[in-house]
Structure formats: structure tokens, C-alpha cells
Amino acid sequence: MKPTHIEHIGLAVRNLEESIRYWEEVFGLQCYRVEEIADQKVKTAFFKIGDTKIELLEATAPDGPVARFIEKKGEGVHHIAFAVADVGTALRSVEEKGIALIDTQPRPGAEGLEIAFLHPKSTYGVLTELCSKPPAGQQLS
Ligand code: ZN
């Protein structure tokens, strides 16, 4: 597995609207997409900085992963996502090296990407996401 670039950095925020305003007014960036990921109980907003994105994450339910993260650690950096050629292949490769996985199979993430998370207990505390574009004609639903 060798990532091509940092796809995005995920930031946990309490208030998506307020946070969007911060990134637009202070950094002069434009939020180009807001998307709710129902099964993750999260609403996301995206900004592009070169090849990398900022992904803001606001919880939509108090028992969701982002709500629990903020409860424990407060707002801030939630995860780093690396772009790889193929998430499934990358997962097998890191699993062979003994890295604990949160997702053993790729699943659909925001922006139509296939994603999977590695467990922070194996990654020196950094919640790590791998993502790739699904092969043409094989969009996950
Ligand atoms: Zn992410």
C-alpha cells in the first residue's frame, strides 16, 4: 500500500454552519458540498485545498461516532484519509502486517468513494481512513 496523497483531513465540529463560515471567511475557501451520511450519523461539508480536502463532520445523533468523539476529546482533528489505488487491496496488505482494522471490507463513504478505517490502536493514535474511487461501473450503492 502506498498512498498517492492525503485525500482529506476530517475535522469534528459541533456546529457545521458556524464552522463552514469560519473556513469561508477566514481561509477564503468555498464549501462545495454538504452531504449527510445516514449510517455514520454524520453530516459532512467539503472544501478543496489543492489535491486535498477538508472534511467537516457534525454529528446528527448523540450516539454516533462523531458525537462520541467530541464528547471524549472535544472538537478538532478526527481522522486523516489517504488516497490509495484500491481500498480492498490496501486493506489486505495492512492486515497482513498486523494492523487492526475497523472495517474489514470497503464501504461507501462521502463523495462516492470506497472507504475503510484502520484502528487507532495500531496507528499510533491516528484514526486512519483509506479511500479510493470505485472501479468504473462498480459504484457501491
Ligand atoms: Zn473521511
Side-chain angles (χ1 to χ4, degrees), residues 7-10 44 46 55 57 78-81 110 115 117 129 131:
E7 215 283 334
H8 62 268
I9 298 173
T44 62
F46 286 93
E55 176 186 45
L57 305 154
H78 179 263
H79 65 273
I80 298 182
I115 66 156
F117 282 94
E129 178 181 349
C131 45

Side-chain angles (χ1 to χ4, degrees), residues 1-20:
M1 182 207 34
K2 192 169 181 188
T4 54
H5 60 285
I6 293 176
E7 215 283 334
H8 62 268
I9 298 173
L11 306 177
V13 303
R14 287 183 206 279
N15 185 314
L16 199 64
E17 242 174 75
E18 261 182 46
S19 186
I20 288 171

